[in-house]
Amino acid sequence: IKYIEINNASEFKNLQPARCDDLIKIIHHGAALKGRKIEEMCNLMTLLPENYELNLMLVKSDEEYFNKLLLKYKSQKNIKFLNPVSFSEIPNFINQFDIGLYILKPNNFNEEHCLPNKFFEFIQARLCLAISPNTDMKEIVEKYNLGVVSSDFSSLSMKDSFLSLSIEKIQSFKETVHKNAELLCAENNYKIIKNSINELLKN
């Protein structure tokens, strides 16, 4: 069976990487869902130096879970809760941050091989990526040298990945992401689809 594979890439954004300074600003955005165990990323902040700041931009998909997170972590000085922006504005808004963070322990096949919107939005925002070793995310990050991949799905493992980074290394990853943003975008998928349709029409 002949088929084509299309990922969930975001449309290209003509942005530049923001400069990284002494305060390293981390962003995680997406749905507040209990199964995603956002606590793991919050717990990471207890393991990192004071110059790391986690910004959570969460949609209240599960309002009870969101409120529990807010109650538990809102007083932690290196964790901030941000109001969500519209879907189309996400890359432009998160461009101000340094690292796009995603830890997701896979409970099923889909989570093991996930390539979520946020992954590609991190890329279009020109962020250094810090991800757990889910198979498909890991493959892309390592192939294009876009950031760091933790050795397992724990905050402790991610801490080690973060501590391997210097400000200069974070900036270097952001520049590498920038170089690959035009390749890892939806427009390339459109070309694949168009070419495939043209091939079908020929036959």
Side-chain angles (χ1 to χ4, degrees), residues 134-153:
N134 309 68
T135 302
D136 293 46
M137 289 197 297
K138 177 182 179 182
E139 180 181 344
I140 292 175
V141 169
E142 292 182 344
K143 179 179 180 179
Y144 296 101
N145 196 31
L146 306 178
V148 293
V149 181
S150 57
S151 59
D152 62 37
F153 299 90

Side-chain angles (χ1 to χ4, degrees), residues 3-202:
Y3 66 92
I4 59 172
E5 185 175 300
I6 300 296
N7 60 35
N8 200 28
S10 303
E11 291 188 344
F12 178 76
K13 298 291 184 182
N14 188 19
L15 298 171
Q16 295 291 323
R19 295 301 303 175
C20 186
D21 58 28
D22 292 338
L23 177 62
I24 299 168
K25 295 175 289 186
I26 307 164
I27 181 72
H28 171 81
H29 68 279
L33 293 170
K34 189 175 182 180
R36 295 188 178 179
K37 299 189 184 301
I38 294 167
E39 296 92 337
E40 200 68 44
M41 289 177 276
C42 294
N43 292 341
L44 171 66
M45 302 315 295
T46 67
L47 305 173
L48 293 176
E50 291 183 353
N51 65 319
Y52 285 86
E53 174 188 275
L54 174 62
N55 295 269
L56 294 172
M57 189 168 71
L58 303 175
V59 177
K60 300 177 187 179
S61 302
D62 180 338
E63 193 159 359
E64 181 181 358
Y65 176 61
F66 174 85
N67 289 335
K68 285 182 179 178
L69 289 173
L70 188 62
L71 183 64
K72 186 173 182 179
Y73 297 108
K74 67 179 179 179
S75 61
Q76 194 165 319
K77 64 180 182 179
N78 59 353
I79 297 178
K80 293 183 176 180
F81 287 81
L82 308 177
N83 292 325
V85 298
S86 67
F87 184 78
S88 62
E89 294 175 335
I90 290 173
N92 296 72
F93 179 77
I94 67 174
N95 172 254
Q96 64 185 290
F97 300 102
D98 301 306
I99 298 176
L101 172 65
Y102 194 33
I103 301 174
L104 179 67
K105 185 175 182 179
N107 296 305
N108 53 50
F109 179 89
N110 285 347
E111 290 179 348
E112 173 60 42
H113 294 276
C114 67
L115 279 174
N117 291 340
K118 64 177 64 60
F119 179 82
F120 293 104
E121 287 158 356
F122 291 159
I123 292 171
Q124 291 307 317
R126 310 312 197 264
L127 307 184
C128 166
L129 276 67
I131 61 155
S132 51
N134 309 68
T135 302
D136 293 46
M137 289 197 297
K138 177 182 179 182
E139 180 181 344
I140 292 175
V141 169
E142 292 182 344
K143 179 179 180 179
Y144 296 101
N145 196 31
L146 306 178
V148 293
V149 181
S150 57
S151 59
D152 62 37
F153 299 90
S154 68
S155 54
L156 190 61
S157 170
M158 185 61 78
K159 177 206 74 169
D160 293 336
S161 296
F162 268 76
L163 295 182
S164 71
L165 295 169
S166 61
I167 291 174
E168 292 75 21
K169 188 64 176 174
I170 294 169
Q171 195 66 43
S172 176
F173 278 130
K174 293 174 82 170
E175 296 294 340
T176 305
V177 171
H178 180 55
K179 290 175 184 176
N180 288 284
E182 218 167 338
L183 176 65
L184 299 169
C185 70
E187 283 79 356
N188 274 329
N189 286 340
Y190 303 156
K191 291 176 186 176
I192 293 170
I193 295 169
K194 183 178 179 180
N195 291 339
S196 297
I197 292 172
N198 287 338
E199 285 297 315
L200 285 172
L201 292 175
K202 287 179 184 177

